[in-house]
Amino acid sequence: MTTTLPTPTTTGPSRARRVAALARGETRLLLRNRTAVVNSVLLPLLLVAAVPALDLGGEVPLGPQLLSTAVGVTLVFLTYYNLVATYVARREDLVLQRMRTGELTGPEVLLGTAVPSLLISLGQVVLVAVGVAVLGEWSAPVEYVLPLVAVLAGTAVMTVLAAASTLFTRTPESAQITTLPLMVATTSLSGLLYPISGFPDALATVARLLPVTPVIELLQLGLAGRTWEGEVVDAGGAWSAAPLPLAVLAGWLVVGGVAARGFRWAPRR
């Protein structure tokens, strides 16, 4: 008579726990950088405090326009730029390479590293929203789903574009140069500073294909019921005008995802 002993099984931490543990470590590193923390806290407060002096132009009410601008600014300057610099710094310090030798998968490493920047971006938008409400500029959104989709999809797009941008960024310091073209183009042509409706037709067409422009379009459609041309619409009209910006966001997500597949985990020697 033979007795079969049970095979011992070992189960490691779940994917969510691994990402959360990495995110906690990245958050501690961020909190040690007092300059980054101060800038992250002061930027939305200064933006809200400057509301009376802002003259953003266009026909979108000040509250929705300020919220749209806040989302765009955080996506470009925090989510995108911060992540490029962070990914490159961790790569050059061999941190990413070491983490890849353990249980963490590639997507888990990228997501866990990105969590602090994403949380800061979300916190800034929340602070701006609270400030807008305190100043009496808040109004009920025309459609609630489109702004949520805009923020989530925009965050995903800028995250994969940040990972893709590390392919031609050798050092954290050089991120200031390699990210500049996208930051300048999206800041000046996405509707953050000037309404797209005031651009020449050809330039407006190009501007609507940039990665941040559809985020601004969807936010203004949902928050204020205004199309990029300034037309006033209801919830149904907002959804009727949404397919193009949604398609542009989906396209950038695919392009960025494909490019990010070449992400390098070790520095070039």
Side-chain angles (χ1 to χ4, degrees):
M1 179 177 180
T2 59
T3 303
T4 303
L5 296 177
T7 303
T9 59
T10 58
T11 58
S14 65
R15 175 173 298 181
R17 289 185 177 181
R18 293 196 297 266
V19 172
L22 177 56
R24 287 194 295 270
E26 287 290 334
T27 301
R28 286 193 292 269
L29 290 175
L30 176 65
L31 292 177
R32 293 175 184 173
N33 188 339
R34 296 184 179 179
T35 301
V37 173
V38 170
N39 290 339
S40 300
V41 173
L42 289 182
L43 179 59
L45 297 180
L46 292 175
L47 185 59
V48 173
V51 167
L54 289 176
D55 184 14
L56 301 176
E59 300 177 354
V60 178
L62 183 57
Q65 190 165 20
L66 184 57
L67 283 172
S68 300
T69 303
V71 172
V73 167
T74 56
L75 287 179
V76 174
F77 291 93
L78 291 178
T79 304
Y80 175 65
Y81 174 75
N82 272 5
L83 283 183
V84 174
T86 300
Y87 285 148
V88 173
R90 300 294 181 268
R91 181 190 67 195
E92 297 302 308
D93 291 339
L94 303 179
V95 173
L96 298 181
Q97 192 175 34
R98 288 196 296 268
M99 287 192 292
R100 287 278 288 161
T101 62
E103 295 181 343
L104 288 166
T105 64
E108 290 172 358
V109 171
L110 295 179
L111 178 59
T113 305
V115 165
S117 294
L118 300 182
L119 290 178
I120 291 175
S121 299
L122 177 61
Q124 286 200 346
V125 173
V126 171
L127 282 176
V128 172
V130 172
V132 169
V134 170
L135 293 173
E137 298 291 344
W138 175 263
S139 58
V142 173
E143 211 288 323
Y144 288 88
V145 177
L146 287 178
L148 180 61
V149 172
V151 173
L152 294 178
T155 300
V157 167
M158 300 310 287
T159 300
V160 296
L161 289 180
S165 296
T166 63
L167 297 176
F168 47 83
T169 306
R170 296 185 63 88
T171 65
E173 293 75 19
S174 65
Q176 301 177 37
I177 299 175
T178 59
T179 60
L180 194 59
L182 180 61
M183 293 173 65
V184 171
T186 53
T187 301
S188 58
L189 298 177
S190 63
L192 289 177
L193 302 179
Y194 309 102
I196 302 176
S197 58
F199 294 167
D201 292 342
L203 183 58
T205 300
V206 173
R208 296 189 70 196
L209 299 179
L210 295 174
V212 177
T213 309
V215 176
I216 303 301
E217 285 192 45
L218 293 174
L219 286 168
Q220 292 183 352
L221 282 171
L223 295 175
R226 299 294 181 102
T227 68
W228 71 277
E229 296 175 318
E231 180 184 355
V232 180
V233 295
D234 57 10
W239 277 106
S240 298
L244 179 58
L246 288 173
V248 173
L249 276 176
W252 276 107
L253 190 59
V254 171
V255 170
V258 171
R261 294 179 65 180
F263 186 88
R264 297 180 64 91
W265 301 97
R268 293 185 178 91
R269 299 301 186 191

